[in-house]
Amino acid sequence: MITIEQIIETVNEYNPDANTKMVREAYEFAAMAHAGMKRQSGEEYIQHSLATSLNLAKLRLDTPSIVAGLLHDVPEDTSYTLEDIKKKFGREVAKLVEGITKLGTLKYRGLERYAENLRKMFLAMAEDIRVILIKFADRINNLETLEYLRPDKRKRIALETLEIYAPIALRLGMGEMKGNLEDLAFPYVYPKEYAWVKKEAENKLKIEKKFIDKIKKVVQKELQEEGIEHVSIHGRIKHLYSLYRKLLTKDRDINRIYDLIALRVVVKDVPECYKVLGLIHKKWKPLKGRIKDYIAQPKPNGYQSLHTTVFAKKGKIVEFQIRDKKMHELAEFGIAAHWQYKDSDIKKITREKAEWVHALKDIQKRFQDDLKYLSEIKVEIFQNRIFVFTPQGDVIDLPENSTPVDFAYHIHTDVGNKCSGALINEEMSSLDTSLKSGDVVEIIINKNRKKPNPDWLDFVKTNIARDKIKYYLNKEKEGIIIKLLKKK
Ligand code: MN
């Protein structure tokens, strides 16, 4: 059971100036709105709202996000509206909740070719990245309680997590989030493989752990002798799903995985990182081609660290990841770090915090470039393209002002030729209606219809529809001419 006190406590730890009064009010409002509702697990519904909000507090997000986490299912599932939320909690919170509700309509049903569209659309529709972070927090709790759902629903949600959510988390630099999402979804998507990997990893870890502990002690001693102050040295165990993916490329041989446990050395600044790398290489011989300087050349998502793999004692292979504190936080939190400490005005900006702000600006800039790229996609694709849904939730992209006839031909030639009407968002609509992004379109088919209507040529927007219609009309013309010739 999670309590609101727990959330407030967590928030206060990183943000003593947080508006906890609003957090408490949001809790009371959500509890009242969801009163009497139960989750499939039998828990009170509010437990899900609290869990979502606590996940956001663990990401150290600002108060509007914490509040929106508590309220995120209110408009969708209760009699209270977005307008009520806006009146009580203001425009910013309402905007976030609205974003989450909107994203709720995006569903992935296992068609590979739509996955990238869906990811892009997810990012584009969210507008505010915090909406995605709330969606992640929501999804984590849904996965934790997935066992209570119907098997088909379980599988859909888990697969969607692997195909859509985790890749987005990775793009946003949120390593921990990606790993957690994947590991929670893994057993539902590939139950047998999960059981196999888990067992392999457990057996291997039993042996490895002792060895890594010894190596850790050696490194600690070396650092001490050199006078290098370290923040922490810890063994990080590879996430199971990412281990599984790697095993698939290594003939399923766990002995070929060198980073099942990697030793993470966190130090205070960049020069120290290189010092530690030198120290390790002096002690143990590095494996060729495995030294990676992600400090000088960060990964596209902003990740920074030095990686090296060495032959340690008795020729055993160990991977090291060396980074400073800031890099460590960014590697764990990714884009979420951008909102940390941003709440209200921080009065005392210590020197370290100033550095923090600097680092945030850095990542912000990187992501702005990323977002610029996204808005370019928006300009290129989204401005001239629209995304509509089939009733099954698949995403179809079409040029702007496309009509149900374009949509029908996009699905299948036969659907186009035989279409006689359309339901747009469950409402009967004419075939020349301009579709809008987010519309759910269902084509009504008349099985007796033999050919397309020539009038459709006046309003279709896609070449595919135009060509197909013309093709049938030409064929028809040919038929008439042949008939006429035969008559002669
Ligand atoms: Mn939810």
Side-chain angles (χ1 to χ4, degrees), residues 169-197:
L170 181 65
R171 254 175 239 189
L172 299 178
M174 303 174 72
E176 260 306 291
M177 180 60 78
K178 173 199 171 262
N180 291 338
L181 286 166
E182 284 179 343
D183 281 3
L184 285 166
F186 187 16
Y188 295 99
V189 181
Y190 308 108
K192 278 186 198 146
E193 303 285 74
Y194 171 76
W196 167 69
V197 176

PDB file of all heavy atoms in Angstrom, residues 169-197:
ATOM      1  N   ALA A 169      12.078   5.392 -24.427  1.00  0.00           N
ATOM      2  CA  ALA A 169      12.869   5.654 -23.214  1.00  0.00           C
ATOM      3  C   ALA A 169      14.352   5.715 -23.573  1.00  0.00           C
ATOM      4  O   ALA A 169      15.082   6.586 -23.107  1.00  0.00           O
ATOM      5  CB  ALA A 169      12.616   4.578 -22.167  1.00  0.00           C
ATOM      6  N   LEU A 170      14.780   4.804 -24.426  1.00  0.00           N
ATOM      7  CA  LEU A 170      16.184   4.785 -24.848  1.00  0.00           C
ATOM      8  C   LEU A 170      16.538   6.075 -25.594  1.00  0.00           C
ATOM      9  O   LEU A 170      17.571   6.683 -25.350  1.00  0.00           O
ATOM     10  CB  LEU A 170      16.451   3.564 -25.730  1.00  0.00           C
ATOM     11  CG  LEU A 170      17.894   3.417 -26.223  1.00  0.00           C
ATOM     12  CD1 LEU A 170      18.838   3.172 -25.062  1.00  0.00           C
ATOM     13  CD2 LEU A 170      18.015   2.276 -27.230  1.00  0.00           C
ATOM     14  N   ARG A 171      15.663   6.488 -26.479  1.00  0.00           N
ATOM     15  CA  ARG A 171      15.912   7.710 -27.235  1.00  0.00           C
ATOM     16  C   ARG A 171      16.008   8.923 -26.327  1.00  0.00           C
ATOM     17  O   ARG A 171      16.684   9.889 -26.640  1.00  0.00           O
ATOM     18  CB  ARG A 171      14.771   7.942 -28.223  1.00  0.00           C
ATOM     19  CG  ARG A 171      15.199   7.635 -29.636  1.00  0.00           C
ATOM     20  CD  ARG A 171      14.047   7.759 -30.570  1.00  0.00           C
ATOM     21  NE  ARG A 171      13.828   6.485 -31.236  1.00  0.00           N
ATOM     22  CZ  ARG A 171      12.980   6.334 -32.241  1.00  0.00           C
ATOM     23  NH1 ARG A 171      12.267   7.346 -32.671  1.00  0.00           N
ATOM     24  NH2 ARG A 171      12.842   5.165 -32.808  1.00  0.00           N
ATOM     25  N   LEU A 172      15.275   8.867 -25.225  1.00  0.00           N
ATOM     26  CA  LEU A 172      15.300   9.991 -24.292  1.00  0.00           C
ATOM     27  C   LEU A 172      16.418   9.843 -23.273  1.00  0.00           C
ATOM     28  O   LEU A 172      16.488  10.593 -22.300  1.00  0.00           O
ATOM     29  CB  LEU A 172      13.945  10.120 -23.588  1.00  0.00           C
ATOM     30  CG  LEU A 172      12.756  10.380 -24.526  1.00  0.00           C
ATOM     31  CD1 LEU A 172      11.458  10.436 -23.734  1.00  0.00           C
ATOM     32  CD2 LEU A 172      12.939  11.669 -25.318  1.00  0.00           C
ATOM     33  N   GLY A 173      17.280   8.852 -23.472  1.00  0.00           N
ATOM     34  CA  GLY A 173      18.445   8.684 -22.602  1.00  0.00           C
ATOM     35  C   GLY A 173      18.136   8.088 -21.245  1.00  0.00           C
ATOM     36  O   GLY A 173      18.950   8.141 -20.338  1.00  0.00           O
ATOM     37  N   MET A 174      16.932   7.518 -21.081  1.00  0.00           N
ATOM     38  CA  MET A 174      16.538   7.005 -19.772  1.00  0.00           C
ATOM     39  C   MET A 174      16.843   5.508 -19.661  1.00  0.00           C
ATOM     40  O   MET A 174      15.968   4.660 -19.808  1.00  0.00           O
ATOM     41  CB  MET A 174      15.046   7.264 -19.547  1.00  0.00           C
ATOM     42  CG  MET A 174      14.695   8.746 -19.666  1.00  0.00           C
ATOM     43  SD  MET A 174      12.936   9.053 -19.563  1.00  0.00           S
ATOM     44  CE  MET A 174      12.649   8.738 -17.824  1.00  0.00           C
ATOM     45  N   GLY A 175      18.112   5.222 -19.367  1.00  0.00           N
ATOM     46  CA  GLY A 175      18.587   3.838 -19.351  1.00  0.00           C
ATOM     47  C   GLY A 175      17.864   2.964 -18.340  1.00  0.00           C
ATOM     48  O   GLY A 175      17.454   1.842 -18.653  1.00  0.00           O
ATOM     49  N   GLU A 176      17.703   3.478 -17.135  1.00  0.00           N
ATOM     50  CA  GLU A 176      17.062   2.686 -16.090  1.00  0.00           C
ATOM     51  C   GLU A 176      15.605   2.409 -16.453  1.00  0.00           C
ATOM     52  O   GLU A 176      15.108   1.303 -16.294  1.00  0.00           O
ATOM     53  CB  GLU A 176      17.112   3.429 -14.748  1.00  0.00           C
ATOM     54  CG  GLU A 176      18.195   2.976 -13.821  1.00  0.00           C
ATOM     55  CD  GLU A 176      18.155   1.471 -13.569  1.00  0.00           C
ATOM     56  OE1 GLU A 176      17.230   0.974 -12.916  1.00  0.00           O
ATOM     57  OE2 GLU A 176      19.078   0.794 -14.075  1.00  0.00           O
ATOM     58  N   MET A 177      14.934   3.443 -16.944  1.00  0.00           N
ATOM     59  CA  MET A 177      13.529   3.303 -17.317  1.00  0.00           C
ATOM     60  C   MET A 177      13.369   2.257 -18.412  1.00  0.00           C
ATOM     61  O   MET A 177      12.521   1.374 -18.331  1.00  0.00           O
ATOM     62  CB  MET A 177      12.990   4.664 -17.787  1.00  0.00           C
ATOM     63  CG  MET A 177      11.544   4.673 -18.207  1.00  0.00           C
ATOM     64  SD  MET A 177      10.415   4.175 -16.905  1.00  0.00           S
ATOM     65  CE  MET A 177      10.348   5.677 -15.926  1.00  0.00           C
ATOM     66  N   LYS A 178      14.225   2.321 -19.407  1.00  0.00           N
ATOM     67  CA  LYS A 178      14.164   1.365 -20.500  1.00  0.00           C
ATOM     68  C   LYS A 178      14.336  -0.054 -19.958  1.00  0.00           C
ATOM     69  O   LYS A 178      13.559  -0.951 -20.274  1.00  0.00           O
ATOM     70  CB  LYS A 178      15.254   1.678 -21.525  1.00  0.00           C
ATOM     71  CG  LYS A 178      15.363   0.624 -22.604  1.00  0.00           C
ATOM     72  CD  LYS A 178      16.716   0.690 -23.319  1.00  0.00           C
ATOM     73  CE  LYS A 178      16.941  -0.472 -24.242  1.00  0.00           C
ATOM     74  NZ  LYS A 178      17.762  -1.535 -23.659  1.00  0.00           N
ATOM     75  N   GLY A 179      15.366  -0.245 -19.123  1.00  0.00           N
ATOM     76  CA  GLY A 179      15.641  -1.570 -18.569  1.00  0.00           C
ATOM     77  C   GLY A 179      14.472  -2.086 -17.737  1.00  0.00           C
ATOM     78  O   GLY A 179      14.091  -3.257 -17.842  1.00  0.00           O
ATOM     79  N   ASN A 180      13.889  -1.209 -16.923  1.00  0.00           N
ATOM     80  CA  ASN A 180      12.776  -1.643 -16.071  1.00  0.00           C
ATOM     81  C   ASN A 180      11.544  -1.991 -16.887  1.00  0.00           C
ATOM     82  O   ASN A 180      10.871  -2.982 -16.621  1.00  0.00           O
ATOM     83  CB  ASN A 180      12.420  -0.551 -15.064  1.00  0.00           C
ATOM     84  CG  ASN A 180      13.509  -0.379 -14.021  1.00  0.00           C
ATOM     85  OD1 ASN A 180      14.309  -1.293 -13.791  1.00  0.00           O
ATOM     86  ND2 ASN A 180      13.562   0.780 -13.402  1.00  0.00           N
ATOM     87  N   LEU A 181      11.237  -1.162 -17.880  1.00  0.00           N
ATOM     88  CA  LEU A 181      10.075  -1.432 -18.736  1.00  0.00           C
ATOM     89  C   LEU A 181      10.240  -2.796 -19.410  1.00  0.00           C
ATOM     90  O   LEU A 181       9.333  -3.625 -19.414  1.00  0.00           O
ATOM     91  CB  LEU A 181       9.934  -0.339 -19.805  1.00  0.00           C
ATOM     92  CG  LEU A 181       9.410   1.022 -19.346  1.00  0.00           C
ATOM     93  CD1 LEU A 181       9.649   2.069 -20.426  1.00  0.00           C
ATOM     94  CD2 LEU A 181       7.921   0.955 -19.009  1.00  0.00           C
ATOM     95  N   GLU A 182      11.427  -3.012 -19.965  1.00  0.00           N
ATOM     96  CA  GLU A 182      11.657  -4.260 -20.692  1.00  0.00           C
ATOM     97  C   GLU A 182      11.587  -5.475 -19.778  1.00  0.00           C
ATOM     98  O   GLU A 182      10.969  -6.483 -20.120  1.00  0.00           O
ATOM     99  CB  GLU A 182      13.029  -4.208 -21.380  1.00  0.00           C
ATOM    100  CG  GLU A 182      13.029  -3.336 -22.616  1.00  0.00           C
ATOM    101  CD  GLU A 182      14.390  -3.260 -23.291  1.00  0.00           C
ATOM    102  OE1 GLU A 182      15.404  -3.610 -22.647  1.00  0.00           O
ATOM    103  OE2 GLU A 182      14.437  -2.849 -24.459  1.00  0.00           O
ATOM    104  N   ASP A 183      12.216  -5.357 -18.609  1.00  0.00           N
ATOM    105  CA  ASP A 183      12.239  -6.526 -17.725  1.00  0.00           C
ATOM    106  C   ASP A 183      10.850  -6.873 -17.190  1.00  0.00           C
ATOM    107  O   ASP A 183      10.547  -8.036 -16.947  1.00  0.00           O
ATOM    108  CB  ASP A 183      13.233  -6.317 -16.579  1.00  0.00           C
ATOM    109  CG  ASP A 183      14.663  -6.558 -17.053  1.00  0.00           C
ATOM    110  OD1 ASP A 183      14.851  -6.816 -18.263  1.00  0.00           O
ATOM    111  OD2 ASP A 183      15.592  -6.490 -16.228  1.00  0.00           O
ATOM    112  N   LEU A 184      10.003  -5.851 -17.019  1.00  0.00           N
ATOM    113  CA  LEU A 184       8.644  -6.137 -16.554  1.00  0.00           C
ATOM    114  C   LEU A 184       7.804  -6.773 -17.663  1.00  0.00           C
ATOM    115  O   LEU A 184       6.934  -7.593 -17.410  1.00  0.00           O
ATOM    116  CB  LEU A 184       7.976  -4.849 -16.057  1.00  0.00           C
ATOM    117  CG  LEU A 184       8.458  -4.326 -14.689  1.00  0.00           C
ATOM    118  CD1 LEU A 184       7.996  -2.891 -14.472  1.00  0.00           C
ATOM    119  CD2 LEU A 184       7.952  -5.216 -13.559  1.00  0.00           C
ATOM    120  N   ALA A 185       8.079  -6.394 -18.913  1.00  0.00           N
ATOM    121  CA  ALA A 185       7.273  -6.902 -20.034  1.00  0.00           C
ATOM    122  C   ALA A 185       7.767  -8.265 -20.518  1.00  0.00           C
ATOM    123  O   ALA A 185       6.977  -9.089 -20.992  1.00  0.00           O
ATOM    124  CB  ALA A 185       7.312  -5.895 -21.189  1.00  0.00           C
ATOM    125  N   PHE A 186       9.049  -8.484 -20.398  1.00  0.00           N
ATOM    126  CA  PHE A 186       9.705  -9.682 -20.930  1.00  0.00           C
ATOM    127  C   PHE A 186       8.958 -11.003 -20.650  1.00  0.00           C
ATOM    128  O   PHE A 186       8.625 -11.752 -21.570  1.00  0.00           O
ATOM    129  CB  PHE A 186      11.146  -9.702 -20.387  1.00  0.00           C
ATOM    130  CG  PHE A 186      12.054 -10.764 -20.931  1.00  0.00           C
ATOM    131  CD1 PHE A 186      11.751 -11.475 -22.097  1.00  0.00           C
ATOM    132  CD2 PHE A 186      13.248 -11.070 -20.257  1.00  0.00           C
ATOM    133  CE1 PHE A 186      12.617 -12.447 -22.583  1.00  0.00           C
ATOM    134  CE2 PHE A 186      14.115 -12.044 -20.735  1.00  0.00           C
ATOM    135  CZ  PHE A 186      13.787 -12.743 -21.905  1.00  0.00           C
ATOM    136  N   PRO A 187       8.652 -11.317 -19.367  1.00  0.00           N
ATOM    137  CA  PRO A 187       8.016 -12.612 -19.098  1.00  0.00           C
ATOM    138  C   PRO A 187       6.667 -12.793 -19.780  1.00  0.00           C
ATOM    139  O   PRO A 187       6.255 -13.929 -20.023  1.00  0.00           O
ATOM    140  CB  PRO A 187       7.860 -12.637 -17.576  1.00  0.00           C
ATOM    141  CG  PRO A 187       8.148 -11.268 -17.104  1.00  0.00           C
ATOM    142  CD  PRO A 187       8.946 -10.574 -18.135  1.00  0.00           C
ATOM    143  N   TYR A 188       5.984 -11.706 -20.103  1.00  0.00           N
ATOM    144  CA  TYR A 188       4.661 -11.843 -20.724  1.00  0.00           C
ATOM    145  C   TYR A 188       4.760 -12.041 -22.232  1.00  0.00           C
ATOM    146  O   TYR A 188       3.886 -12.632 -22.843  1.00  0.00           O
ATOM    147  CB  TYR A 188       3.793 -10.620 -20.417  1.00  0.00           C
ATOM    148  CG  TYR A 188       3.474 -10.499 -18.960  1.00  0.00           C
ATOM    149  CD1 TYR A 188       4.188  -9.629 -18.136  1.00  0.00           C
ATOM    150  CD2 TYR A 188       2.483 -11.293 -18.373  1.00  0.00           C
ATOM    151  CE1 TYR A 188       3.919  -9.539 -16.779  1.00  0.00           C
ATOM    152  CE2 TYR A 188       2.206 -11.210 -17.026  1.00  0.00           C
ATOM    153  CZ  TYR A 188       2.932 -10.334 -16.232  1.00  0.00           C
ATOM    154  OH  TYR A 188       2.667 -10.258 -14.903  1.00  0.00           O
ATOM    155  N   VAL A 189       5.821 -11.514 -22.813  1.00  0.00           N
ATOM    156  CA  VAL A 189       5.955 -11.627 -24.266  1.00  0.00           C
ATOM    157  C   VAL A 189       6.659 -12.937 -24.647  1.00  0.00           C
ATOM    158  O   VAL A 189       6.239 -13.625 -25.569  1.00  0.00           O
ATOM    159  CB  VAL A 189       6.706 -10.410 -24.850  1.00  0.00           C
ATOM    160  CG1 VAL A 189       6.823 -10.541 -26.367  1.00  0.00           C
ATOM    161  CG2 VAL A 189       5.968  -9.115 -24.511  1.00  0.00           C
ATOM    162  N   TYR A 190       7.723 -13.256 -23.928  1.00  0.00           N
ATOM    163  CA  TYR A 190       8.469 -14.487 -24.230  1.00  0.00           C
ATOM    164  C   TYR A 190       8.644 -15.319 -22.957  1.00  0.00           C
ATOM    165  O   TYR A 190       9.754 -15.376 -22.400  1.00  0.00           O
ATOM    166  CB  TYR A 190       9.853 -14.149 -24.804  1.00  0.00           C
ATOM    167  CG  TYR A 190       9.840 -13.200 -25.977  1.00  0.00           C
ATOM    168  CD1 TYR A 190      10.287 -11.885 -25.838  1.00  0.00           C
ATOM    169  CD2 TYR A 190       9.408 -13.626 -27.233  1.00  0.00           C
ATOM    170  CE1 TYR A 190      10.292 -11.009 -26.916  1.00  0.00           C
ATOM    171  CE2 TYR A 190       9.411 -12.751 -28.313  1.00  0.00           C
ATOM    172  CZ  TYR A 190       9.851 -11.453 -28.148  1.00  0.00           C
ATOM    173  OH  TYR A 190       9.854 -10.592 -29.214  1.00  0.00           O
ATOM    174  N   PRO A 191       7.578 -15.952 -22.474  1.00  0.00           N
ATOM    175  CA  PRO A 191       7.669 -16.620 -21.173  1.00  0.00           C
ATOM    176  C   PRO A 191       8.766 -17.692 -21.095  1.00  0.00           C
ATOM    177  O   PRO A 191       9.485 -17.756 -20.111  1.00  0.00           O
ATOM    178  CB  PRO A 191       6.277 -17.239 -20.982  1.00  0.00           C
ATOM    179  CG  PRO A 191       5.500 -16.953 -22.203  1.00  0.00           C
ATOM    180  CD  PRO A 191       6.264 -16.018 -23.083  1.00  0.00           C
ATOM    181  N   LYS A 192       8.890 -18.494 -22.141  1.00  0.00           N
ATOM    182  CA  LYS A 192       9.875 -19.583 -22.073  1.00  0.00           C
ATOM    183  C   LYS A 192      11.297 -19.037 -22.086  1.00  0.00           C
ATOM    184  O   LYS A 192      12.157 -19.490 -21.342  1.00  0.00           O
ATOM    185  CB  LYS A 192       9.688 -20.521 -23.274  1.00  0.00           C
ATOM    186  CG  LYS A 192       8.580 -21.528 -23.034  1.00  0.00           C
ATOM    187  CD  LYS A 192       8.511 -22.531 -24.157  1.00  0.00           C
ATOM    188  CE  LYS A 192       7.154 -23.228 -24.122  1.00  0.00           C
ATOM    189  NZ  LYS A 192       6.685 -23.557 -25.464  1.00  0.00           N
ATOM    190  N   GLU A 193      11.521 -18.069 -22.984  1.00  0.00           N
ATOM    191  CA  GLU A 193      12.841 -17.474 -23.092  1.00  0.00           C
ATOM    192  C   GLU A 193      13.224 -16.775 -21.785  1.00  0.00           C
ATOM    193  O   GLU A 193      14.361 -16.836 -21.342  1.00  0.00           O
ATOM    194  CB  GLU A 193      12.872 -16.454 -24.240  1.00  0.00           C
ATOM    195  CG  GLU A 193      12.490 -17.024 -25.584  1.00  0.00           C
ATOM    196  CD  GLU A 193      13.598 -17.869 -26.189  1.00  0.00           C
ATOM    197  OE1 GLU A 193      13.793 -18.987 -25.695  1.00  0.00           O
ATOM    198  OE2 GLU A 193      14.257 -17.391 -27.130  1.00  0.00           O
ATOM    199  N   TYR A 194      12.227 -16.134 -21.201  1.00  0.00           N
ATOM    200  CA  TYR A 194      12.461 -15.435 -19.933  1.00  0.00           C
ATOM    201  C   TYR A 194      12.941 -16.425 -18.873  1.00  0.00           C
ATOM    202  O   TYR A 194      13.934 -16.189 -18.188  1.00  0.00           O
ATOM    203  CB  TYR A 194      11.186 -14.740 -19.469  1.00  0.00           C
ATOM    204  CG  TYR A 194      11.266 -14.190 -18.075  1.00  0.00           C
ATOM    205  CD1 TYR A 194      11.967 -13.019 -17.811  1.00  0.00           C
ATOM    206  CD2 TYR A 194      10.661 -14.846 -17.002  1.00  0.00           C
ATOM    207  CE1 TYR A 194      12.055 -12.506 -16.529  1.00  0.00           C
ATOM    208  CE2 TYR A 194      10.749 -14.348 -15.714  1.00  0.00           C
ATOM    209  CZ  TYR A 194      11.446 -13.181 -15.483  1.00  0.00           C
ATOM    210  OH  TYR A 194      11.543 -12.682 -14.200  1.00  0.00           O
ATOM    211  N   ALA A 195      12.234 -17.553 -18.762  1.00  0.00           N
ATOM    212  CA  ALA A 195      12.586 -18.555 -17.756  1.00  0.00           C
ATOM    213  C   ALA A 195      14.014 -19.065 -17.993  1.00  0.00           C
ATOM    214  O   ALA A 195      14.795 -19.232 -17.049  1.00  0.00           O
ATOM    215  CB  ALA A 195      11.591 -19.713 -17.794  1.00  0.00           C
ATOM    216  N   TRP A 196      14.334 -19.266 -19.257  1.00  0.00           N
ATOM    217  CA  TRP A 196      15.670 -19.766 -19.617  1.00  0.00           C
ATOM    218  C   TRP A 196      16.762 -18.759 -19.250  1.00  0.00           C
ATOM    219  O   TRP A 196      17.738 -19.079 -18.567  1.00  0.00           O
ATOM    220  CB  TRP A 196      15.705 -20.075 -21.121  1.00  0.00           C
ATOM    221  CG  TRP A 196      17.079 -20.302 -21.647  1.00  0.00           C
ATOM    222  CD1 TRP A 196      17.892 -21.362 -21.377  1.00  0.00           C
ATOM    223  CD2 TRP A 196      17.820 -19.420 -22.517  1.00  0.00           C
ATOM    224  NE1 TRP A 196      19.098 -21.211 -22.018  1.00  0.00           N
ATOM    225  CE2 TRP A 196      19.077 -20.026 -22.728  1.00  0.00           C
ATOM    226  CE3 TRP A 196      17.541 -18.197 -23.134  1.00  0.00           C
ATOM    227  CZ2 TRP A 196      20.058 -19.444 -23.535  1.00  0.00           C
ATOM    228  CZ3 TRP A 196      18.509 -17.618 -23.932  1.00  0.00           C
ATOM    229  CH2 TRP A 196      19.753 -18.240 -24.127  1.00  0.00           C
ATOM    230  N   VAL A 197      16.578 -17.493 -19.657  1.00  0.00           N
ATOM    231  CA  VAL A 197      17.590 -16.459 -19.382  1.00  0.00           C
ATOM    232  C   VAL A 197      17.769 -16.270 -17.878  1.00  0.00           C
ATOM    233  O   VAL A 197      18.886 -16.138 -17.384  1.00  0.00           O
ATOM    234  CB  VAL A 197      17.215 -15.112 -20.036  1.00  0.00           C
ATOM    235  CG1 VAL A 197      18.208 -14.032 -19.664  1.00  0.00           C
ATOM    236  CG2 VAL A 197      17.135 -15.245 -21.534  1.00  0.00           C
TER     237      VAL A 197
END
